[in-house]
């Protein structure tokens, strides 16, 4: 008999959000065994979890969620009781260059995991949960007003958001058809430590540090709703434990920024932190060709999560941004390691035509 009360399979734990979720679970719940399954793609970095290597309630397994036989074996080997599914191809620009990988991992991979859960738990759903982590991008784009609620119709525009929307539909279908005990959350843009520097905030911190141009897509007037990654991890913890079976929860901090305004605040913080002349980082701003199918505005209404489960963000954006900048500046080796190799080749393809 195992000493653990749960064996939770967390997929994509070596990535940005997954590493924060794993750290929270491993520290907070000593009676849970947390199994991190990750393929270690360009975005997966075990350095993100170095501090947990010796934790007795943590195990890392390298593997691919699309490999059905291997996944079923893993359920058996570790007697998996619950899944928190984060593994995904997650970058919109990459999805435009190569949609197939997104369909394989985000859609097929999700179905493979649910098939294994369904087979291994074999209809005895008591004490089990399949938690699917999704994005607000499935709802498409808002005009200048309004918010996404859990009732907003899906209307994805990028291959990334279409693949996430598709996986959400499959998760609901497995609940409605087979009774799989699922819960889904759709979160806004995250920022914080350990994010791969292809996404806006870490990319621009890296470029400012190295005096490289800041490629602003289109007119820079696109709006995103930003949430500190640790607050997302806290929300996942709450929803995993208390969310209603078959339910969806939107996660967001009511924190909208037009890209260009956010970039200007970031530039100011960077000038101060790097002891540079005020205004010097802003000079790096370079307007480039727009992203095709670029969604104008995302804004999440997370009232349901607050009212039902009592979750609220813990941090103001300015404070979170400063903490984030401090982390990247203090972890230059991390940044240099991930910006070498594979990532560089991608960067050149992505920005060559702009
Ligand atoms: P990420 O790209 O940083 O990490 C993804 C992880 O998944 C990596 O460690 C990668 O190695 C792993 N992975 C990829 N393909 C795999 C496969 N076939 N098998 C096993 N592992 C595989 O992504 P992230 O930003 O941490 O996002 C995590 C989840 O949260 C995703 O499902 C994403 O859609 C969702 N999400 C992200 C954001 C955001 O702002 N980043 C917002 C809302 C929701
Ligand atoms: P990103 O971090 O890629 O997240 P998402 O596309 O999932 O929202 O981009 C955030 C916003 O920043 C989005 O409107 C696109 C824009 N952007 C740029 O202007 N330049 C860049 O180099 C990147 C990566 C993003």
């Amino acid at each position: 008999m195992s000493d653990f009360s749960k064996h939770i399979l967390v997929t994509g734990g070596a990535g940005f959000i997954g590493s924060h979720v794993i750290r929270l679970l491993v520290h907070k719940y000593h009676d849970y065994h947390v199994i991190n399954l990750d393929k270690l793609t360009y975005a997966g970095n075990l350095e993100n979890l170095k501090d947990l290597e010796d934790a007795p309630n943590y195990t890392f397994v390298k593997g691919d969620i699309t490999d059905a036989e291997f996944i079923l074996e893993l359920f058996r080997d570790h007697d998996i009781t619950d899944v928190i599914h984060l593994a995904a191809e997650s970058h919109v620009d990459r999805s435009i260059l190569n949609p197939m990988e997104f369909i394989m991992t985000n859609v097929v991979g999700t179905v493979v995991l649910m098939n294994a859960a369904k087979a291994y738990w074999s209809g005895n759903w008591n004490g089990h949960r399949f938690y699917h982590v999704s994005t607000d991008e499935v709802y498409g784009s808002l005009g200048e007003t309004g918010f996404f609620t859990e009732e907003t119709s899906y209307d994805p525009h990028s291959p990334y958001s279409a693949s996430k929307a598709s996986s959400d539909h499959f998760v609901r279908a497995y609940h409605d058809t087979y009774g799989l005990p699922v819960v889904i959350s759709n979160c806004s843009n995250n920022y914080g430590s350990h994010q791969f520097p292809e996404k806006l905030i870490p990319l621009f911190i890296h470029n400012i540090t190295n005096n490289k141009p800041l490629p602003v897509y289109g007119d820079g007037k696109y709006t995103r709703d930003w949430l500190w990654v640790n607050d997302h991890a806290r929300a996942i913890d709450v929803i995993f434990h208390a969310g209603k079976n078959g339910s969806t929860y939107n996660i967001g901090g009511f924190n909208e920024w037009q890209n260009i305004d956010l970039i200007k605040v970031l530039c100011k913080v960077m000038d101060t932190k790097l002891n540079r002349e005020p205004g010097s980082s802003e000079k790096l701003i370079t307007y480039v060709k727009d992203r095709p199918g670029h969604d104008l505005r995302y804004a999440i209404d997370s009232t349901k999560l607050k009212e039902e489960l009592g979750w609220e963000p813990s941090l103001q954006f300015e404070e979170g941004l400063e903490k984030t900048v401090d982390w990247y500046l203090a972890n230059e080796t991390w940044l240099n390691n991930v910006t070498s190799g594979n990532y560089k080749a991608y960067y050149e393809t992505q920005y060559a035509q702009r």
Side-chain angles (χ1 to χ4, degrees):
M1 271 296 283
S2 147
D3 292 337
F4 294 113
S5 62
K6 280 182 177 299
H7 300 270
I8 307 177
L9 176 64
V10 179
T11 68
F16 166 49
I17 301 169
S19 61
H20 288 275
V21 170
I22 290 206
R23 184 166 297 101
L24 183 155
L25 293 174
V26 167
H27 285 316
K28 189 167 170 187
Y29 301 102
H30 293 174
D31 60 326
Y32 292 176
H33 181 200
V34 179
I35 298 108
N36 172 14
L37 168 69
D38 200 294
K39 186 179 171 184
L40 300 183
T41 67
Y42 78 93
N45 184 349
L46 278 183
E47 261 185 64
N48 295 354
L49 290 167
K50 240 182 163 158
D51 51 314
L52 299 185
E53 264 164 18
D54 299 323
N57 60 337
Y58 170 70
T59 303
F60 172 71
V61 179
K62 184 172 187 297
D64 189 330
I65 58 166
T66 65
D67 183 343
E69 238 174 83
F70 160 78
I71 294 294
L72 190 56
E73 259 327 285
L74 188 77
F75 268 73
R76 290 196 189 111
D77 286 352
H78 292 280
D79 189 20
I80 298 300
T81 56
D82 300 82
V83 177
I84 304 180
H85 174 38
L86 296 110
E89 287 293 337
S90 68
H91 189 40
V92 174
D93 292 324
R94 284 183 191 258
S95 80
I96 296 167
L97 295 173
N98 184 8
M100 270 323 281
E101 260 183 79
F102 285 70
I103 296 162
M104 289 311 296
T105 288
N106 299 2
V107 186
V108 177
T110 301
V111 175
V112 164
L113 284 166
M114 288 193 296
N115 281 342
K118 179 170 152 282
Y120 188 65
W121 301 337
S122 55
N124 179 10
W125 307 130
N126 232 349
H128 299 302
R129 169 148 275 186
F130 188 99
Y131 184 155
H132 179 61
V133 175
S134 193
T135 166
D136 62 354
E137 304 195 21
V138 298
Y139 297 123
S141 184
L142 291 163
E144 274 163 24
T145 56
F147 292 92
F148 297 134
T149 72
E150 288 80 0
E151 273 71 51
T152 304
S153 302
Y154 277 28
D155 184 22
H157 299 293
S158 73
Y160 164 66
S161 53
S163 69
K164 292 297 291 188
S166 172
S167 62
D168 291 11
H169 289 317
F170 272 105
V171 174
R172 280 194 196 98
Y174 269 57
H175 173 262
D176 296 348
T177 309
Y178 307 111
L180 194 74
V182 307
V183 67
I184 301 178
S185 59
N186 296 82
C187 188
S188 60
N189 285 58
N190 285 211
Y191 70 96
S193 70
H194 301 89
Q195 186 171 30
F196 195 84
E198 63 186 354
K199 306 275 168 62
L200 182 73
I201 291 178
L203 174 69
F204 278 31
I205 292 173
H206 181 64
N207 284 12
I208 292 171
T209 310
N210 294 291
N211 276 309
K212 281 174 67 180
L214 305 177
V216 179
Y217 296 168
D219 60 6
K221 300 224 166 115
Y222 296 90
T223 300
R224 297 291 181 265
D225 184 351
W226 294 91
L227 182 71
W228 193 41
V229 63
N230 301 65
D231 280 332
H232 188 187
R234 281 178 48 245
I236 290 174
D237 178 20
V238 169
I239 295 166
F240 175 71
H241 287 96
K244 256 203 345 246
N245 185 24
S247 242
T248 292
Y249 295 89
N250 280 353
I251 311 173
F254 292 104
N255 178 44
E256 286 180 54
W257 287 82
Q258 272 196 353
N259 290 343
I260 193 64
D261 295 335
L262 184 158
I263 290 161
K264 286 183 179 164
V265 172
L266 179 64
C267 285
K268 278 207 184 81
V269 175
M270 290 296 286
D271 284 345
T272 310
K273 299 280 174 189
L274 296 171
N275 290 319
R276 289 185 184 167
E277 184 96 358
S280 56
S281 299
E282 267 195 37
K283 288 196 190 121
L284 298 169
I285 291 175
T286 311
Y287 290 91
V288 299
K289 204 171 118 202
D290 211 347
R291 170 188 282 175
H294 201 164
D295 288 331
L296 177 67
R297 177 170 164 259
Y298 303 144
I300 275 274
D301 180 346
S302 53
T303 309
K304 177 181 172 186
L305 180 56
K306 182 178 171 194
E307 289 185 350
E308 243 185 58
L309 304 181
W311 174 91
E312 277 185 281
S314 70
L315 211 63
Q316 291 299 307
F317 182 64
E318 285 78 359
E319 191 188 345
L321 190 66
E322 200 175 322
K323 269 180 191 272
T324 303
V325 167
D326 285 342
W327 187 85
Y328 284 98
L329 294 180
N331 288 276
E332 236 181 306
T333 321
W334 183 95
L335 207 50
N336 290 337
N337 285 349
V338 293
T339 47
S340 58
N342 199 5
Y343 174 65
K344 269 199 177 144
Y346 156 75
Y347 192 86
E348 274 142 30
T349 324
Q350 169 61 19
Y351 290 99
Q353 328 91 310
R354 294 178 188 269

